[in-house]
Amino acid sequence: MNHEILKRIIAEQHVVISHATIIQREYRFEENANYILTGMRRAGKSTIMYDRVQDLIQKGVKWNQIIYINFEDERLAEFRMEDFNDIVETAAELTTRTPYYFLDEIQNIEGWERFARRMADMKAHMYITGSNAIMLSRDMEARLGGRYLSQNIMPYNFREYVTARNISYDMALYTSSDIGKLRQSANDFMHEGGLPESLLYLDKRPYIEGIYQKVLLGDIAGRNGIRNEMGLRILMKKIAETVCSEMSYTKLYNTLKSIGLRMSKDTVISYIQYAKNAYLIFSVQNYFARFVEKESIQRFYFLDNGFLNLFVDDNNTALLENLVAITLLRMYAHPIYYLKSSKTGIDIDFFVPSTQTAIQVAWSIQNLDTRKREVDNLVKLAQHFHEAQSYYIITHEEEETIQVKGITIQVIPLYRFLLKKR
């Protein structure tokens, strides 16, 4: 690899980083650890690395020690595994001090993990990003031999979102005006999602649509050699239409078959796994199900509400539940579950075993039938399933405490739920 090209890429990246405006994210790094940052495209991985670089510069590290390479740069289109050593040689030409390596979207280079392992063994300072969940698989962690810590970077959470909009969320300083702003922001967040750069646009839909197409056609279809792009598109649309519903691979296969799409069930399963690997969707399993059913029957959600809203035409109930699922995933990681039992009639939207928390999601419980249904489900759960000890109903705007049959149910408006920390 031509060292002058590498030096030019590094120098240009220094200019970009030095002028970047950083919104603080809720991620923390150990000073002496090497990291792999992975997650959805445009979730903010590069900006978090920019923040880390700016922090190093403030602590006295010199710019020529910062070796930042973005492997999506077209000048690196022919970069191969054997070229990695040219980066090390270029760093030695730029500085006699300790270099700090920032390698962005490294998954584009086959065999990158061997270089990463060697550099860690040499006690180099390494920060690596990628947009592929396989990078965080158990197999990959074993191949890296525990030399790197992992951070899964997601789009903005609500606290980061309102900070980027210059809105305070200090609960000790709430006024009626503050609460109004937070309620409106929660509603906007529910519809628009948390892709950081989307906040730069008044009309966010074209930007979100563009990123969705890049994920679909690049990170899923292109990376996995999918030729049936129409089948992939329609499958994702059908998954979006079934958010909040239990769905099996067989049912999705039959749905596609009924509209004339020729895809085997194995292909449906593979496409769904590819979408998970690209951080487009995730799934939640039924805690009560047998092992085989846990794998084959699930509820699917999108990892950002902006993507889901491209399909559901402002279906507020679906958007609300999807956002609650994302927030729980962020707060607790896996496992989170739903609870469904035909024997007892229990049907609970979310259950977090680590906190023994059961959660129902309802746009409003002002309607008496809706209120009775949600409350009765939680009461029934308390009577039959003693592993749940805390009970919540997340609504769009309502707030109250319900005491019924020996249990306490907290009804929480969306904005308060989104501001909660684990």
Side-chain angles (χ1 to χ4, degrees):
M1 187 72 205
N2 187 304
H3 290 198
E4 293 307 312
I5 291 176
L6 289 174
K7 289 176 184 177
R8 195 173 306 126
I9 290 171
I10 292 167
E12 291 172 1
Q13 199 69 57
H14 288 171
V15 174
V16 172
I17 297 171
S18 65
H19 289 87
T21 300
I22 307 295
I23 300 297
Q24 291 297 313
R25 303 293 304 272
E26 294 183 4
Y27 297 97
R28 299 293 176 263
F29 297 92
E30 297 287 339
E31 287 295 328
N32 297 315
N34 292 325
Y35 279 92
I36 294 180
L37 281 62
T38 190
M40 180 195 298
R41 180 186 288 269
R42 310 313 297 172
K45 299 184 297 296
S46 298
T47 304
I48 288 172
M49 294 230 289
Y50 293 177
D51 185 37
R52 187 74 186 114
V53 170
Q54 289 187 2
D55 185 53
L56 289 169
I57 295 299
Q58 290 177 2
K59 291 177 178 178
V61 172
K62 303 302 180 184
W63 276 106
N64 60 358
Q65 295 174 253
I66 303 299
I67 311 302
Y68 195 114
I69 304 287
N70 185 342
F71 287 99
E72 291 198 326
D73 191 309
E74 75 283 355
R75 290 169 290 186
L76 300 175
E78 297 181 4
F79 194 98
R80 298 293 180 265
M81 185 184 67
E82 55 268 23
D83 297 322
F84 275 118
N85 208 56
D86 287 299
I87 295 177
V88 179
E89 292 174 1
T90 300
E93 294 170 12
L94 289 172
T95 182
T96 58
R97 302 186 182 192
T98 301
Y100 292 80
Y101 295 94
F102 294 82
L103 306 180
D104 209 347
E105 298 297 352
I106 199 173
Q107 82 285 341
N108 292 329
I109 312 302
E110 186 175 352
W112 65 268
E113 65 274 11
R114 281 178 268 176
F115 170 73
R117 189 168 57 239
R118 175 166 68 89
M119 293 298 286
D121 289 340
M122 294 170 59
K123 307 302 180 185
H125 297 283
M126 300 287 291
Y127 293 82
I128 293 172
T129 80
S131 300
N132 193 328
I134 293 174
M135 293 179 68
L136 286 184
S137 68
R138 290 182 179 178
D139 177 60
M140 183 57 66
E141 290 182 352
R143 287 160 71 181
L144 290 175
R147 295 166 174 86
Y148 288 78
L149 299 180
S150 301
Q151 287 271 25
N152 179 18
I153 308 302
M154 298 176 68
Y156 281 155
N157 66 29
F158 186 60
R159 292 180 298 275
E160 294 165 339
Y161 177 81
V162 294
T163 297
R165 295 178 66 168
N166 295 313
I167 296 173
S168 172
Y169 63 87
D170 187 344
M171 298 183 71
L173 302 176
Y174 278 175
T175 66
S176 295
S177 175
D178 293 330
I179 292 174
K181 289 177 182 178
L182 288 170
R183 286 184 185 276
Q184 182 58 52
S185 294
N187 192 66
D188 293 342
F189 187 59
M190 185 183 74
H191 287 86
E192 298 167 357
L195 293 176
E197 290 182 4
S198 69
L199 273 68
L200 301 175
Y201 301 90
L202 291 176
D203 184 2
K204 296 173 175 53
R205 189 180 180 93
Y207 172 79
I208 296 169
E209 173 71 30
I211 300 303
Y212 175 76
Q213 295 301 332
K214 288 178 182 177
V215 172
L216 195 75
L217 301 180
D219 297 339
I220 301 176
R223 187 173 291 165
N224 297 288
I226 293 175
R227 290 179 291 179
N228 187 1
E229 291 181 2
M230 181 59 69
L232 175 64
R233 288 180 185 276
I234 294 177
L235 175 60
M236 291 301 106
K237 182 175 185 293
K238 293 303 178 183
I239 288 175
E241 291 170 354
T242 65
V243 165
C244 305
S245 301
E246 195 173 51
M247 185 59 55
S248 70
Y249 294 130
T250 300
K251 188 171 182 179
L252 282 168
Y253 162 73
N254 289 332
T255 298
L256 296 176
K257 184 179 178 181
S258 70
I259 59 176
L261 276 177
R262 295 184 177 181
M263 292 171 60
S264 70
K265 186 159 69 171
D266 285 345
T267 298
V268 170
I269 294 171
S270 294
Y271 284 9
I272 288 173
Q273 188 58 51
Y274 297 153
K276 288 182 178 181
N277 288 347
Y279 297 98
L280 180 61
I281 63 174
F282 65 100
S283 61
V284 176
Q285 298 177 338
N286 183 3
Y287 188 84
F288 293 147
R290 292 173 297 185
F291 177 78
V292 174
E293 291 175 343
K294 273 186 168 69
E295 296 298 319
S296 61
I297 304 175
Q298 305 171 61
R299 288 179 179 172
F300 294 99
Y301 298 95
F302 280 71
L303 209 69
D304 187 77
N305 266 40
F307 291 148
L308 177 61
N309 200 29
L310 295 173
F311 298 99
V312 297
D313 296 324
D314 289 340
N315 181 332
N316 287 326
T317 299
L319 290 169
L320 178 61
E321 182 168 322
N322 196 84
L323 184 52
V324 171
I326 294 169
T327 305
L328 291 173
L329 177 68
R330 188 194 302 272
M331 290 169 65
Y332 300 107
H334 286 297
I336 60 172
Y337 297 93
Y338 66 95
L339 302 174
K340 189 168 185 178
S341 169
S342 57
K343 182 178 180 180
T344 60
I346 291 170
D347 190 352
I348 301 295
D349 294 326
F350 299 106
F351 173 60
V352 183
S354 61
T355 58
Q356 298 182 296
T357 301
I359 296 173
Q360 291 289 75
V361 181
W363 183 256
S364 169
I365 57 171
Q366 291 296 309
N367 178 278
L368 293 180
D369 289 338
T370 302
R371 183 185 183 91
K372 184 176 187 306
R373 181 183 68 243
E374 304 299 349
V375 170
D376 285 355
N377 252 307
L378 290 170
V379 169
K380 193 182 301 180
L381 180 69
Q383 293 170 343
H384 292 90
F385 184 66
H386 300 302
E387 291 184 43
Q389 297 294 320
S390 301
Y391 309 93
Y392 293 88
I393 301 174
I394 311 302
T395 69
H396 184 233
E397 292 193 339
E398 294 152 30
E399 184 170 11
E400 64 173 297
T401 299
I402 299 173
Q403 301 281 353
V404 56
K405 296 187 178 180
I407 69 169
T408 301
I409 301 171
Q410 299 292 337
V411 181
I412 301 178
L414 178 61
Y415 82 95
R416 284 194 179 274
F417 172 71
L418 294 176
L419 289 174
K420 283 185 65 175
K421 294 186 177 180
R422 182 173 178 176

